[in-house]
Amino acid sequence: AVMSDLLPPFLAERSGRAAAAVEAAHPGLPDAWCELAAELHEAAGQRQRAAELLAVAGRRSLARGALRSAEATLLRARRVLAPVEPPPVAELAGIDDELVRVLMMTGDCEQLIPVAERLLRELDLTRTDPAMKAEIRLRLARALSECDRAEMASRQIAAARELASAAPDPSRSEERRV
């Protein structure tokens, strides 16, 4: 109630101080402290830090097997980053990579396909190694085959092959180590 009566600049300033206090009092931000710190950073206008903490919380949920919680937290991390200009493409790609993992595990192909395609576009913007993109396409193909989408899975495998053929072969480098 007290916080709701504060003007936005005062709320942001106090939220920032509270976030710093929470992080100092709880190193590593275990359990719910991570999400609380993220909320405070968001209220302070520190969107990138808030999204970073939400991504950590999402990964922790995924590690515990709490797939729905992981999905919701990672989607929230994306929403928090959405208004940031210029878009932090590398951070968005990291969140989407985790989100793809979650959606594969839940078998939600309807959401998986657009998120995976968005991830691949983000990786193109960050000039990610073709081998990594090929791996993502192979994981996507496997998930699609499990969702009875064989034709789409075949297209992903073909795209992965094309990416893999474009990837440099480390065994052919001029400096070979014995």
Side-chain angles (χ1 to χ4, degrees), residues 51-114:
E52 178 185 322
L53 293 175
L54 287 168
V56 167
R59 281 192 293 278
R60 288 176 180 170
S61 292
L62 177 58
R64 286 192 320 268
L67 299 178
R68 292 296 173 200
S69 177
E71 180 182 354
T73 306
L74 292 166
L75 287 171
R76 183 169 166 225
R78 275 202 63 82
R79 282 192 304 273
V80 167
L81 274 182
V84 174
E85 287 295 329
V89 179
E91 289 86 351
L92 290 167
I95 292 168
D96 280 341
D97 187 41
E98 295 296 327
L99 193 52
V100 163
R101 292 175 197 278
V102 170
L103 294 170
M104 286 173 159
M105 289 181 188
T106 61
D108 187 347
C109 282
E110 297 305 316
Q111 287 190 53
L112 171 62
I113 295 165

Side-chain angles (χ1 to χ4, degrees), residues 22-167:
V22 167
E23 289 191 60
H26 303 281
L29 297 171
D31 305 319
W33 293 109
C34 190
E35 289 192 53
L36 175 62
E39 287 176 26
L40 292 168
H41 279 291
E42 185 178 5
Q46 301 162 350
R47 290 182 167 280
Q48 285 191 284
R49 179 64 177 149
E52 178 185 322
L53 293 175
L54 287 168
V56 167
R59 281 192 293 278
R60 288 176 180 170
S61 292
L62 177 58
R64 286 192 320 268
L67 299 178
R68 292 296 173 200
S69 177
E71 180 182 354
T73 306
L74 292 166
L75 287 171
R76 183 169 166 225
R78 275 202 63 82
R79 282 192 304 273
V80 167
L81 274 182
V84 174
E85 287 295 329
V89 179
E91 289 86 351
L92 290 167
I95 292 168
D96 280 341
D97 187 41
E98 295 296 327
L99 193 52
V100 163
R101 292 175 197 278
V102 170
L103 294 170
M104 286 173 159
M105 289 181 188
T106 61
D108 187 347
C109 282
E110 297 305 316
Q111 287 190 53
L112 171 62
I113 295 165
V115 173
E117 291 300 327
R118 181 177 64 209
L119 169 61
L120 290 163
R121 286 191 306 273
E122 291 162 349
L123 293 177
D124 284 340
L125 292 173
T126 61
R127 300 186 179 184
T128 299
D129 176 39
M132 182 177 172
K133 291 187 285 190
E135 178 189 333
I136 290 167
R137 289 203 178 269
L138 288 174
R139 286 190 288 151
L140 180 57
R142 180 176 182 188
L144 289 169
S145 68
E146 291 173 2
C147 292
D148 292 327
R149 301 202 180 172
E151 185 177 321
M152 291 177 84
S154 294
R155 285 197 304 266
Q156 292 300 325
I157 291 170
R161 282 187 181 132
E162 187 176 317
L163 284 166
S165 68

